[in-house]
Amino acid sequence: MTQLARGLEPFYLDMGREIDHTTVIVMTEFGRRVQENSSFGTDHGCGGVMFLMGGGIRGERFLGKWPGLSADLLTGPGDLQVVHNYRNSLRAGTHAAWRR
C-alpha cells in the first residue's frame, strides 16, 4: 500500500488543477477466495478492492455492503458473496455516491 501511495501522490500533485476533472480508479485485477487451497494459497475468487482518487471524490470511507467472512456467509469453496458489480463503478466516473 505504501508503494501504491508513493506512486499515486506525485501523479496527483503533477495534475495540478486538472485533477478536479479527473477520476483515477485503482482496482485489483481479480479477486481471491478467503479459504486456503491445498497448497496453502488462495484461488481466484470474488474478493477484490477498488480505490478512487480525484477532484470531487469524497474519500475516507467505505462504500458497499460487507457480508462478513463467517463460513455460513461464504459461497462455494470459501468465496465471498458478490454484492457489488465493479462494472457499475467504472461507468462514467461520476457516480453520485463518490462525490462531495
Side-chain angles (χ1 to χ4, degrees), residues 28 30-35 37 41-48 78-80:
T28 55
F30 52 85
R32 288 291 183 176
R33 293 179 183 265
V34 175
Q35 295 178 340
N37 58 28
T42 54
D43 296 320
H44 289 201
C46 297
D79 207 357
L80 292 172

Side-chain angles (χ1 to χ4, degrees), residues 36-94:
E36 291 181 341
N37 58 28
S38 61
S39 301
F40 303 107
T42 54
D43 296 320
H44 289 201
C46 297
V49 67
M50 179 181 288
F51 300 105
L52 283 79
M53 175 181 81
I57 301 294
R58 185 168 53 106
E60 299 182 12
R61 62 208 172 108
F62 173 84
L63 296 175
K65 177 184 174 189
W66 177 245
L69 295 175
S70 63
D72 60 317
L73 297 174
L74 300 177
T75 62
D79 207 357
L80 292 172
Q81 294 178 26
V82 175
V83 295
H84 179 75
N85 184 337
Y86 74 93
R87 293 169 188 88
N88 295 335
S89 297
L90 298 177
R91 291 190 181 114
T94 58

